[in-house]
């Protein structure tokens, strides 16, 4: 069975597209539209993969990564930053905050699932 995935994303169109692509590839998807709900759902469901948008209304993705890594999340959980906020140093900042990988928006529907899976396999 494919791993469960938590998506923390405030944009409804992006959430719809990511959910569609992942469910089409037989992943169980859990959704959160803000960081507070995302943290709660991560601890309740222990998803194998967490996709986090960096720009969220209540707290940024860097803060969420750090909180997930330091608050009892299983060590083998793969955290991937997915964002259009791609300025110099953002990828490094995401990794320093606890992300295992970084995927830039706009998402390419033809390659997204493979990109995500390769980050997950490399971590585990």
């Amino acid at each position: 069975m494919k791993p469960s995935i938590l998506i923390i994303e405030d944009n409804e169109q992006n959430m719809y597209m990511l959910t569609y692509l992942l469910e089409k590839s037989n992943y169980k998807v859990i959704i959160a539209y803000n960081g507070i709900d995302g943290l709660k759902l991560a601890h309740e469901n222990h998803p194998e993969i967490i996709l986090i948008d960096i720009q969220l209304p209540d707290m940024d993705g860097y803060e969420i990564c750090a909180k997930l890594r330091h608050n009892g999340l299983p060590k083998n959980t793969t955290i991937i930053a997915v964002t259009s906020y791609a300025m110099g140093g953002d990828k490094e900042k995401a990794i320093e905050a606890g992300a295992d990988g970084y995927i830039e928006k706009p998402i390419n529907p033809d390659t997204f699932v493979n990109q995500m899976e390769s980050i997950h396999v490399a971590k585990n």
Side-chain angles (χ1 to χ4, degrees), residues 55-123:
Q55 292 181 306
L56 292 164
D58 54 350
M59 68 180 82
D60 68 32
Y62 305 121
E63 184 179 351
I64 297 167
C65 283
K67 286 182 182 221
L68 289 169
R69 286 290 180 219
H70 300 292
N71 290 331
L73 194 69
K75 298 261 185 258
N76 64 340
T77 304
T78 302
I79 298 175
I80 302 171
V82 182
T83 186
S84 57
Y85 193 65
M87 296 176 62
D90 282 349
K91 181 176 183 177
E92 294 76 15
K93 190 173 176 182
I95 302 299
E96 287 172 16
D100 298 296
Y102 188 93
I103 299 174
E104 287 184 29
K105 293 177 188 170
I107 298 301
N108 180 338
D110 298 326
T111 61
F112 174 76
V113 173
N114 287 337
Q115 281 181 288
M116 183 204 66
E117 288 174 346
S118 67
I119 294 168
H120 180 61
V121 168
K123 163 145 177 102

